[in-house]
Amino acid sequence: MTELCNSQQFVCSRQKEMIINAYKSKLEANPKLAIREARVILSKELGIGITTISNTLSEYRNFKTVSSPNRTKIFKNINVKVDDFDEENVVNEDDTLPDFALTTLWRLLKSMGFQFSKRGRNSALIENDDIRAWRRRYIRDIRKYREEGRPIYYLDETWGLSTGAVNPTGKGKRLIVCHIGSEDGFVSDSLLCFESKKNTNDYHDEMNGDSFRDWLEGVLPRLKDNAVIVMDNAPYHSVKLEKCPTSNWRKADIIQWLQGKGEVVDQTMIIPELLEVVRRIKPIYNKYVIDEMVLQQNKTVLRLPPYHCELNSIELVWSVVKRHVKANNKTFKLPDVKNLLVEGIAKVDAEMWKNFVKHTIEEENKFWTLDDTVDELSAEQNRLVMTIGNSDTEEDDDFDLLSD
C-alpha cells in the first residue's frame, strides 16, 4: 500500500488521499491557482516531495482515484494460510515478514484483539467482538457529538529522535511530545515537550498519570466549552479514581469495600459470590481520574477503541512533523531537534487539520460499512452451517431407516 518517493520516504494511499484533499481545498480558496504553484505549496505544507505530489495529482486527474503502485501484487490466498494454521506456521514462508514461533505469533494476534476460532471444518482469524462493539459505540458517539455541534479535539503523544550518531541506530535519548488540536489547528500554548530519561523505544514508559493530569488540567481552560476530547487508552490516561475488588483481593477486603458502598453482605458468601455483587455495581464506581476532571470543566472524554490510531486525526499531524524533523535534522542534538519540532508543528495550520479530520471521518465511515458487511457475512455463514447440519441429520435418519 506504499510507494517510495525521492526522499526515500514511503507514501501510502492514505497520504495520497490527503494530497488530493489538500489540493481541492487550495482550488476552492483560489480557483485560478496554477498547478505548478500548487505543487510547491503542497510540498512545503505536507513535507512531501514535489515529484510525489505531481505524480499523485496526475494519477487522480487521469483515473479519478489514487491507488498503491503494488496493487497488482499477488499474495497467497488467506484461506490457504489459515486452513493448516494449527499444524505449521505458514507466516514464516513469506519472505517479507519476520520469522515467528507459532506461540509468539498467536500471542501477538491475541494482544491485537483477534481470536482464533474453528467452525466445522473451516478455521479463520476474526476480530474480537468486544473491539468491534467498542468501535461501533465510538463511531456512533462521535457522530452524535458532531451533529450536536460540539467541538472535537484530538490528543496524543509521540516521540522524536534527538541524540545519536550521524546515521542513528534508534538508540539515544528522545523528546517526549504531547499536544492537542482540532480542525481549528493546534491549541495554542499547549505543547508538552520533555527529554526522555531512558534509552527506550516506548515513550509510554516516560509518562505517568500525575504528569499527564497536570498538563491536561492546564490545557482544559483553553478548549471551547462543551468540547469532546478524543484520546487512546494509554495507562496514564486511564488511572482509576478508585480500585474495585478483583479475585486477588482478600475476602475481608471485598466485604469491607461492598459495605462501604452501602451493600448488605451475607457473611457466608464465598469470594465468587461477592465478586458477582461487585460486577453488578462496578459500573457506578469504575471511573477514571481524567474523565472526572474533564467532566467538571463541562467537557467529555471519548476513548478510542484499541489499535485504532487511524481514527485519531493527530496521528496524521505527527507524520508531517516527524518528516520535517527527519529531513532537517543534521546535528542530532537535543536543542536543535526541539527547534525543528516546533517548526514542524507550526507548519501544520488549520487548513491541514481540516483535511486530516476529513480523512479521519472517511476512515470512520469505512469501518462502519465494514462492520455491517461482517455482520451480514456472519449471519450468512451461520445460516449455511445450520443448513448443512440439518442436511447431515436428515441423511443420518435416512440411513437409519434403510438399516431397519
Side-chain angles (χ1 to χ4, degrees), residues 177-341:
V177 185
C178 184
H179 217 328
I180 184 171
S182 69
E183 61 179 11
D184 295 328
F186 277 112
V187 178
S188 61
D189 301 322
S190 298
L191 172 64
L192 173 65
C193 181
F194 61 92
E195 180 184 350
S196 66
K197 297 179 182 178
K198 304 176 184 177
N199 292 335
T200 174
N201 287 328
D202 189 359
Y203 59 83
H204 293 98
D205 293 342
E206 303 286 339
M207 294 282 281
N208 60 60
D210 291 337
S211 59
F212 178 75
R213 185 187 66 240
D214 291 343
W215 170 78
L216 185 58
E217 191 173 21
V219 169
L220 288 175
R222 304 187 186 106
L223 307 185
K224 293 180 180 179
D225 190 48
N226 203 28
V228 176
I229 304 173
V230 174
M231 67 175 72
D232 61 25
N233 299 276
Y236 44 87
H237 295 169
S238 308
V239 177
K240 294 290 183 66
L241 201 59
E242 70 170 307
K243 294 182 179 179
C244 295
T246 67
S247 57
N248 295 325
W249 282 38
R250 293 171 58 248
K251 179 178 178 179
D253 294 334
I254 299 176
I255 292 175
Q256 183 180 3
W257 187 87
L258 287 171
Q259 290 176 335
K261 306 304 179 188
E263 293 292 317
V264 178
V265 179
D266 183 347
Q267 298 293 328
T268 65
M269 294 173 71
I270 60 175
I271 289 179
E273 291 178 300
L274 294 170
L275 290 177
E276 285 182 356
V277 181
V278 171
R279 281 191 290 272
R280 176 171 57 81
I281 67 172
K282 186 177 180 179
I284 303 174
Y285 304 102
N286 192 27
K287 298 179 179 180
Y288 298 112
V289 172
I290 293 300
D291 296 50
E292 295 304 302
M293 180 183 74
V294 169
L295 191 60
Q296 290 175 5
Q297 299 291 325
N298 194 34
K299 297 171 179 65
T300 303
V301 170
L302 180 59
R303 294 177 178 275
L304 289 158
Y307 317 111
H308 282 71
C309 60
E310 63 267 55
L311 298 182
N312 193 346
S313 300
I314 202 171
E315 293 288 350
L316 292 170
V317 175
W318 289 140
S319 67
V320 173
V321 175
K322 285 187 175 183
R323 273 199 300 272
H324 176 79
V325 173
K326 188 172 183 180
N328 297 281
N329 190 5
K330 309 301 181 185
T331 66
F332 300 98
K333 294 180 179 179
L334 189 66
D336 296 336
V337 172
K338 187 170 183 179
N339 289 335
L340 290 172
L341 172 74

Side-chain angles (χ1 to χ4, degrees), residues 50 71 78 80 85 89 113 117 119 185 214 251 319 338 363 368 376:
I50 291 181
R71 59 189 178 278
I78 187 65
V80 175
F85 188 83
N89 188 353
S117 67
R119 298 182 179 179
D214 291 343
K251 179 178 178 179
S319 67
K338 187 170 183 179
E363 293 295 313
W368 188 268
E376 293 173 5

Side-chain angles (χ1 to χ4, degrees), residues 18 313 316-317 320 348 352-360:
M18 179 184 70
S313 300
L316 292 170
V317 175
V320 173
V348 186
M352 294 175 68
W353 264 98
K354 283 185 174 66
N355 285 325
F356 295 147
V357 171
K358 180 180 178 182
H359 180 80
T360 301

